[in-house]
Amino acid sequence: MTSATPARPPGRPRSGVNDVVFAATLSTVHELGYARATVERIAAAAGVAKTTIYRRWPTKGALIVDCLLDAFGPVPVDGGSKAAILSGAIRWIAGKIGEPGVGDAFAGVFSDAVSDPGLRLILATRLQDPYRIALQDALGEPEQRVLFFIDVVVGTLLHRLGMTGVPMVEADVDALVDMVLPVFG
Amino acid sequence: MTSATPARPPGRPRSGVNDVVFAATLSTVHELGYARATVERIAAAAGVAKTTIYRRWPTKGALIVDCLLDAFGPVPVDGGSKAAILSGAIRWIAGKIGEPGVGDAFAGVFSDAVSDPGLRLILATRLQDPYRIALQDALGEPEQRVLFFIDVVVGTLLHRLGMTGVPMVEADVDALVDMVLPVFG
DNA sequence: CATTTGCGCTACCTTAAGTTTCGAAACCTC
DNA sequence: GAGGTTTCGAAACTTAAGGTAGCGCAAATG
């Protein structure tokens, strides 16, 4: 019979520094901005060799995406009215984008994806799809409409952050909710 | 008495290749994407030396912004109802973003601005402000609301382009208009 | 102890932005 | 036409960053 827990592969196991690298990534991006947060600097901040990072993530973009997945966690899709689900999702992502480092990393990796189809695929499948599917299930809306919803919400929040360097204030998030609810609620 | 036409400065006058460079910029961005459209390649496509470009624009970002200003031209603010002005502006910018090279250059320069405050300033003052002011005057709306409008419209359109590589289809532009009009009309 | 794999380190390759230098060309004034 | 001033094109250069390769050592399994 095959064991339920797969046998540990031979050789030295990886040290558990992923969380340290994620924290170093966010703090470095927060302090220096996305472009100046080089892999070398992130590695130094994490107390780790650059090669260790490239053994775990193939590119800087993949590292950032995993870091964001770790920072976001699961979507809080509390059962409730459609309006409650939508406004909850908007306020949740707006709050995350306001956390130090998270918004900059989010906007930065989107930036790189503009001219990098490989990164665009990672972004779509690893980051966007899980949240899109969760929203589809919770709302019972077709894929197209949920994608449009995501474009509006994330696009607006990131455009504000990118143009001003400051996350959107609460009053404008309220306005965003008020604008979106009649269409999707 | 001082002459109405200021005396031409001494030395060899600049050749009139700005338009050629703009066209080469858009076609190169369209063919290769933003990141691979290097200044050297743009110069080669324009039949011009790289140093000539750097004599006229201090950075790649400044070149792109001027190229976009040339491509956009003035906002078509036809007098009419608020709703007509708003939907006209949305469809106009959506159309421009759909032109080959323009959308990619727009998204790309926004990308760079995320971690480049200097470029952000150029972008805000040279590109965004004229259109924002024109809209403020035409709509009689305060600055904050017009900025929010721009964040929603441009953010949504660029997020779609950045995530998919394809400009937003007309049906979704219609949905964007329908969503925005009740709030701003 | 033998094997296998991860880590840190260093050196390296490649690409791209932006700079410098220099000889030649174009324009103006005298 | 001569001299002065600025631009152009070409090439070499600097710097920064992403990403790779090789090495010796450490940590696990058997």
Side-chain angles (χ1 to χ4, degrees):
Chain A
M1 147 184 189
T2 58
S3 166
T5 59
R8 181 198 302 204
R12 173 175 174 171
R14 286 191 166 168
S15 63
V17 292
N18 277 28
D19 289 348
V20 179
V21 173
F22 289 151
T25 300
L26 289 184
S27 71
T28 305
V29 168
H30 178 57
E31 286 166 22
L32 304 179
Y34 184 78
R36 297 184 57 197
T38 68
V39 176
E40 295 222 13
R41 276 192 254 259
I42 291 171
V48 154
K50 183 169 73 156
T51 43
T52 296
I53 291 188
Y54 278 107
R55 270 184 213 106
R56 300 175 184 217
W57 297 278
T59 63
K60 177 181 176 180
L63 164 64
I64 301 286
V65 169
D66 268 15
C67 181
L68 289 173
L69 275 170
D70 180 74
F72 285 164
V75 221
V77 180
D78 309 320
S81 68
K82 273 192 176 185
I85 293 173
L86 287 165
S87 82
I90 295 173
R91 294 181 198 285
W92 169 77
I93 190 66
K96 290 291 182 184
I97 287 175
E99 288 179 9
V102 175
D104 295 291
F106 201 16
V109 76
F110 259 99
S111 307
D112 285 353
V114 168
S115 48
D116 182 344
L119 178 55
R120 206 147 64 203
L121 187 65
I122 294 178
L123 209 49
T125 56
R126 299 206 39 145
L127 197 60
Q128 185 179 79
D129 282 356
Y131 297 114
R132 173 183 58 81
I133 292 170
L135 279 174
Q136 278 178 229
D137 292 347
L139 296 169
E141 294 275 351
E143 178 177 356
Q144 293 174 336
R145 275 175 68 82
V146 175
L147 282 174
F148 181 74
F149 169 79
I150 292 175
D151 285 332
V152 171
V153 173
V154 177
T156 301
L157 292 169
L158 289 187
H159 188 271
R160 168 64 58 93
L161 179 64
M163 277 302 291
T164 66
V166 176
M168 184 169 270
V169 297
E170 265 208 45
D172 282 336
V173 176
D174 291 341
L176 185 60
V177 171
D178 290 343
M179 183 183 70
V180 167
L181 279 200
V183 180
F184 290 91
Chain B
M1 144 182 192
T2 57
S3 167
T5 58
R8 183 197 306 208
R12 174 175 176 171
R14 286 191 167 169
S15 62
V17 292
N18 278 27
D19 288 348
V20 180
V21 173
F22 289 152
T25 300
L26 289 185
S27 71
T28 305
V29 168
H30 178 57
E31 286 166 22
L32 305 179
Y34 183 79
R36 297 184 57 196
T38 68
V39 175
E40 296 222 13
R41 276 193 254 258
I42 291 171
V48 153
K50 184 169 71 156
T51 42
T52 296
I53 291 188
Y54 278 108
R55 267 183 217 109
R56 300 174 185 217
W57 297 278
T59 63
K60 177 181 175 180
L63 164 64
I64 301 286
V65 169
D66 269 15
C67 180
L68 289 174
L69 275 170
D70 180 73
F72 284 165
V75 221
V77 178
D78 309 318
S81 67
K82 273 192 176 185
I85 293 173
L86 287 166
S87 81
I90 294 173
R91 294 181 199 284
W92 169 76
I93 189 67
K96 290 291 183 185
I97 287 175
E99 288 178 10
V102 176
D104 296 291
F106 201 16
V109 76
F110 259 99
S111 306
D112 285 354
V114 169
S115 47
D116 182 344
L119 178 55
R120 207 147 65 203
L121 187 64
I122 294 178
L123 209 50
T125 56
R126 301 209 43 167
L127 197 60
Q128 186 179 79
D129 281 357
Y131 297 113
R132 173 183 59 80
I133 292 169
L135 280 174
Q136 277 178 227
D137 291 348
L139 296 170
E141 293 275 350
E143 178 178 355
Q144 292 174 337
R145 273 175 70 82
V146 175
L147 282 174
F148 181 72
F149 169 77
I150 292 175
D151 285 333
V152 170
V153 173
V154 177
T156 301
L157 292 170
L158 290 187
H159 188 271
R160 169 63 58 94
L161 179 65
M163 278 300 292
T164 66
V166 176
M168 184 169 271
V169 298
E170 267 207 44
D172 281 335
V173 176
D174 292 341
L176 186 59
V177 172
D178 290 343
M179 184 183 70
V180 168
L181 279 199
V183 180
F184 291 92

